[in-house]
Amino acid sequence: KIAVAHGTAIDIVLNENTQRKSLAALSFPDVAKSTGNELRLFGEAAMARPHLALQYVRELLGQPHKRSNTYGPHYFPDTIEADPDRGSCRFVRSKAESYSAEELNAMLLSYVKHRVQEHTGKPVRRCVITVPAFFAD
């Protein structure tokens, strides 16, 4: 969920489908159909084709690459390779295009920032990122 604090009041930011909860998912369109501008789909739009959506990338932050390429029960549509400099996970889409878990999470945070700015009509200057006490929250 994304919320904006106005003094003591909290306002929940709705996603594109006017829902209170936004999915932490992103996907990229087919490279062959791209117009040259890098396009990313987030949240519900990314899940329109779930077999191409990247989810749970935050769980790979700081994790070393595993030769078995198994990262819990999660499915990743792109190849995961070891970053040659850091040994961490790197999502490889093509020889020319690859992203670290940090870069993918930064893309998700950019989406969140955009949603808030669209909701409030003001630029975001400060933010707080929290983790729920129970993951079912």
Side-chain angles (χ1 to χ4, degrees), residues 2 10 12 14 16 24 31 33 37 42 50 55 57-58 60 74 80 92 94 103 119 122 124 126 136:
I2 306 167
I10 302 291
I12 301 293
L14 302 178
E16 297 87 1
V31 177
K33 296 178 184 175
N37 296 330
F42 296 96
Q55 297 184 81
V57 292
R58 69 181 172 272
L60 297 180
H74 309 303
I80 301 175
V92 179
S94 67
E103 289 171 313
H119 178 78
K122 298 177 183 176
V124 173
R126 298 181 307 217

Side-chain angles (χ1 to χ4, degrees), residues 2 14 27 34 50 64 68 84 94 100 106-109 122 127 134:
I2 306 167
L14 302 178
S27 67
S34 179
S68 64
S94 67
S100 68
M107 291 176 196
L108 286 168
L109 290 173
K122 298 177 183 176
C127 77
F134 301 97

Side-chain angles (χ1 to χ4, degrees), residues 1-136:
K1 292 182 181 175
I2 306 167
V4 178
H6 302 282
T8 59
I10 302 291
D11 189 16
I12 301 293
V13 177
L14 302 178
N15 67 15
E16 297 87 1
N17 297 329
T18 64
Q19 295 176 338
R20 294 168 56 99
K21 189 171 183 180
S22 296
L23 296 172
L26 73 147
S27 67
F28 300 88
D30 188 353
V31 177
K33 296 178 184 175
S34 179
T35 61
N37 296 330
E38 186 175 353
L39 175 66
R40 298 175 211 124
L41 301 173
F42 296 96
E44 297 291 330
M47 293 307 293
R49 297 189 306 180
H51 62 288
L52 297 176
L54 291 169
Q55 297 184 81
Y56 308 107
V57 292
R58 69 181 172 272
E59 295 179 17
L60 297 180
L61 289 171
Q63 295 293 321
H65 177 263
K66 298 177 184 176
R67 288 185 191 266
S68 64
N69 253 2
T70 55
Y71 299 93
H74 309 303
Y75 165 77
F76 297 104
D78 296 317
T79 303
I80 301 175
E81 294 180 356
D83 185 301
D85 298 326
R86 301 178 15 209
S88 59
C89 298
R90 191 153 195 85
F91 293 81
V92 179
R93 299 199 42 177
S94 67
K95 286 186 179 187
E97 186 179 18
S98 67
Y99 302 97
S100 68
E102 292 84 359
E103 289 171 313
L104 294 172
N105 278 288
M107 291 176 196
L108 286 168
L109 290 173
S110 294
Y111 164 72
V112 169
K113 180 179 178 181
H114 171 75
R115 294 296 312 150
V116 170
Q117 290 178 160
E118 193 173 83
H119 178 78
T120 63
K122 298 177 183 176
V124 173
R125 293 187 308 225
R126 298 181 307 217
C127 77
V128 175
I129 300 171
T130 64
V131 177
F134 301 97
F135 287 106

